C-alpha cells in the first residue's frame, strides 16, 4: 500500500503547526493550497464593520474561511492589474454559492486608503457600499494588499447562508 499521500499530509500538518504562532489566524486557500495570514489592517476592518453593525441595530457577522480565498485572490488581481474593479465577481459569487451554500453575496472594493478606519469610513459614506455593510448577511471576510508603488487595495465580501 502506498502511504506517500498520508506521509505528505502529516508533514504538511507538522510544518503548518510549527510555522504558525498562536496569535495568527490562518486560512488555507483550497484552490492553490497556500496559507493566507490575516493582516492587522484586515482584522481591524472586520472589527470596525462589526462595531458599526452592532451600534446600528444589525447583527454582527462571522468570519468564514472560504470567503477569504476569494477576497485574497481578487485583491491580488487588482494589485497585479494596478486598478480597482469588480472583474469576475460572478465567478467569486458562484464559488461561494457552490462551495458554502451562499444564497446572497455582496462585495465592496477600495484602493488608496492607508488605514482600516479610512476605508471603512469611505464605504459608509457611499450608499451602495453602506448597503452591503448593513445588508442581511451573516458572514464576511476582507483582504488588503499593497502594490509595488505603495497603494493599498481592499476586497470585502459578505454572504448570507
Amino acid at each position: 500500500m502506498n502511504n506517500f499521500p498520508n506521509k505528505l499530509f502529516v508533514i504538511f500538518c507538522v510544518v503548518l503547526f510549527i510555522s504558525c504562532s498562536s496569535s495568527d489566524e490562518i486560512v488555507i486557500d483550497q484552490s492553490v493550497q497556500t496559507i493566507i495570514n490575516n493582516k492587522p489592517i484586515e482584522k481591524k476592518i472586520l472589527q470596525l464593520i462589526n462595531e458599526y453593525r452592532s451600534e446600528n441595530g444589525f447583527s454582527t457577522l462571522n468570519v468564514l474561511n472560504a470567503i477569504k480565498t476569494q477576497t485574497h485572490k481578487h485583491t491580488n488581481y487588482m494589485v497585479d492589474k494596478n486598478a480597482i474593479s469588480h472583474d469576475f465577481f460572478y465567478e467569486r459569487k458562484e464559488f461561494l454559492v457552490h462551495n458554502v451554500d451562499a444564497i446572497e453575496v455582496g462585495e465592496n472594493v477600495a484602493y488608496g486608503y492607508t488605514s482600516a478606519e479610512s476605508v471603512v469610513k469611505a464605504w459608509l459614506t457611499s450608499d451602495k457600499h453602506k448597503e452591503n455593510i448593513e445588508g442581511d448577511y451573516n458572514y464576511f471576510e476582507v483582504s488588503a494588499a499593497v502594490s509595488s508603488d505603495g497603494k493599498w487595495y481592499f476586497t470585502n465580501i459578505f454572504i448570507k447562508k
Side-chain angles (χ1 to χ4, degrees):
M1 175 185 272
N2 185 356
N3 287 328
F4 180 74
N6 291 339
K7 289 178 183 177
L8 188 59
F9 177 75
V10 170
I11 291 169
F12 173 77
C13 291
V14 168
V15 170
L16 181 65
F17 178 75
I18 292 170
S19 66
C20 296
S21 72
S22 62
S23 64
D24 286 338
E25 294 178 36
I26 60 167
V27 177
I28 298 177
D29 181 339
Q30 299 298 329
S31 65
V32 291
Q33 295 299 312
T34 58
I35 297 172
I36 305 167
N37 289 308
N38 286 332
K39 298 174 181 80
I41 193 170
E42 295 167 343
K43 292 176 187 178
K44 185 68 174 179
I45 290 168
L46 298 174
Q47 175 191 344
L48 290 170
I49 289 172
N50 266 339
E51 286 174 3
Y52 173 85
R53 286 179 62 93
S54 179
E55 291 166 1
N56 290 279
F58 301 99
S59 62
T60 58
L61 304 174
N62 297 303
V63 170
L64 185 64
N65 293 344
I67 301 171
K68 184 72 167 191
T69 66
Q70 301 306 298
T71 61
H72 180 74
K73 187 184 308 182
H74 186 62
T75 300
N76 287 340
Y77 168 81
M78 292 190 299
V79 167
D80 291 344
K81 189 176 174 184
N82 200 28
I84 190 171
S85 77
H86 289 282
D87 293 353
F88 311 110
F89 172 71
Y90 182 77
E91 291 177 13
R92 289 185 292 286
K93 179 181 178 181
E94 286 301 303
F95 174 89
L96 294 166
V97 166
H98 293 305
N99 289 282
V100 296
D101 300 322
I103 56 175
E104 294 289 332
V105 180
E107 177 179 80
N108 288 346
V109 295
Y111 77 103
Y113 299 95
T114 57
S115 71
E117 293 81 5
S118 64
V119 73
V120 171
K121 181 178 179 182
W123 282 333
L124 289 171
T125 58
S126 163
D127 290 340
K128 181 60 181 163
H129 295 100
K130 183 178 181 179
E131 184 179 309
N132 281 336
I133 290 173
E134 294 179 345
D136 183 23
Y137 299 109
N138 47 12
Y139 295 94
F140 69 156
E141 235 328 332
V142 68
S143 289
V146 182
S147 65
S148 60
D149 62 354
K151 189 184 306 178
W152 280 93
Y153 288 83
F154 304 88
T155 304
N156 185 198
I157 294 179
F158 304 85
I159 72 165
K160 179 179 182 175
K161 287 180 55 163

